[in-house]
Amino acid sequence: MSNIKYTKGNQEKGLTPITSQWMHDIMDHPGVVNELFAKYGSPLNILNPASFTQNCKKFKEVFERNNVKSGIFYARKANKAKAFVKQAFKDNIGVDTASERELLQSLQLGGDGDHLVLTSAIKTNKQIEIAIQNNVPIVLDNDDECILVNDLAEKNNKKAIVAFRISGFHVDGNKLYSRFGFDIDEIEEYLINKVGEDKAYSNLSAVGLHFH
């Protein structure tokens, strides 16, 4: 039995999608769309990397206007199309990878340690070793990952470039829950005591923090 009270989105104010002129040009010519369906079948995805470039440019302008040093990373899991990965590198934009396949493909498409990051929720030995060997920063979520990455870095005779994901922020007196990341109330003591030369995780080279 269907739930007639169930709705999606904001039913009062609604959400209007941002559309580009190229989208309207296509929708205004249904004959072209029908030809594409006839040739390629359904579902049909039409991509325009130029829009990606414009969106990134708008982000950059906001940072520049506010004198914020920044680096933009496109989350590949949101849209895995290779066209956007290629465009990201062309526009000097980074790519956030969340799987072994995403990481490998991005490396094969020209990515490097300055333009890639590995943020998988569950990181396999293979993913980690690929990242270490290619100097790709790895975002760590917990102590178990620190142990694993530190051991694999030692095995590969390299430092692992890492960042630490942090969560548990306080908003309006409430602590926000997240299944990702180190607790913000504990991370400072953790890093001071465990990460660095002559400490438990001496094979980790920390380059930043990731806020979740």
Side-chain angles (χ1 to χ4, degrees), residues 58-212:
K58 290 177 182 178
F59 274 109
K60 288 180 178 179
E61 288 173 349
V62 172
F63 291 131
E64 291 170 358
R65 193 161 57 242
N66 291 278
N67 296 313
V68 176
K69 184 179 179 181
S70 65
I72 299 174
F73 282 76
Y74 144 64
R76 193 171 177 203
K77 64 183 176 183
N79 192 317
K80 300 182 187 297
K82 292 181 180 180
F84 290 137
V85 177
K86 294 176 182 177
Q87 193 64 40
F89 297 148
K90 183 177 179 180
D91 296 337
N92 199 30
I93 299 299
V95 176
D96 178 337
T97 65
S99 72
E100 179 184 333
R101 184 175 180 82
E102 288 181 16
L103 177 57
L104 273 176
Q105 282 187 344
S106 298
L107 285 166
Q108 292 164 356
L109 291 170
D112 56 30
D114 292 330
H115 294 87
L116 293 173
V117 65
L118 176 65
T119 62
S120 307
I122 299 175
K123 302 174 183 70
T124 65
N125 288 30
K126 186 65 174 177
Q127 286 179 51
I128 294 168
E129 288 196 313
I130 293 171
I132 291 172
Q133 291 162 1
N134 290 277
N135 299 313
V136 173
I138 306 167
V139 175
L140 301 176
D141 280 300
N142 51 58
D143 188 60
D144 287 342
E145 287 190 349
C146 287
I147 295 172
L148 178 58
V149 173
N150 187 73
D151 289 347
L152 289 173
E154 183 175 11
K155 175 185 172 184
N156 284 269
N157 196 32
K158 289 193 70 171
K159 292 279 189 180
I161 301 171
V162 301
F164 293 85
R165 184 147 39 200
I166 301 173
S167 61
F169 297 94
H170 297 268
V171 177
D172 296 330
N174 296 314
K175 189 176 181 66
L176 301 181
Y177 167 78
S178 173
R179 64 191 180 94
F180 298 102
F182 290 83
D183 192 299
I184 191 172
D185 298 324
E186 301 172 359
I187 187 64
E188 183 177 3
E189 182 178 356
Y190 181 90
L191 294 178
I192 290 172
N193 293 329
K194 292 196 172 185
V195 180
E197 295 296 331
D198 301 321
K199 295 180 181 177
Y201 306 137
S202 59
N203 297 307
L204 304 183
S205 176
V207 295
L209 302 173
H210 178 132
F211 301 104
H212 191 267

Side-chain angles (χ1 to χ4, degrees), residues 5-24:
K5 295 182 179 180
Y6 175 76
T7 58
K8 294 181 70 175
N10 187 327
Q11 297 301 304
E12 295 181 1
K13 297 181 179 179
L15 292 174
T16 302
I18 297 174
T19 56
S20 301
Q21 185 57 47
W22 69 269
M23 298 178 185
H24 295 282

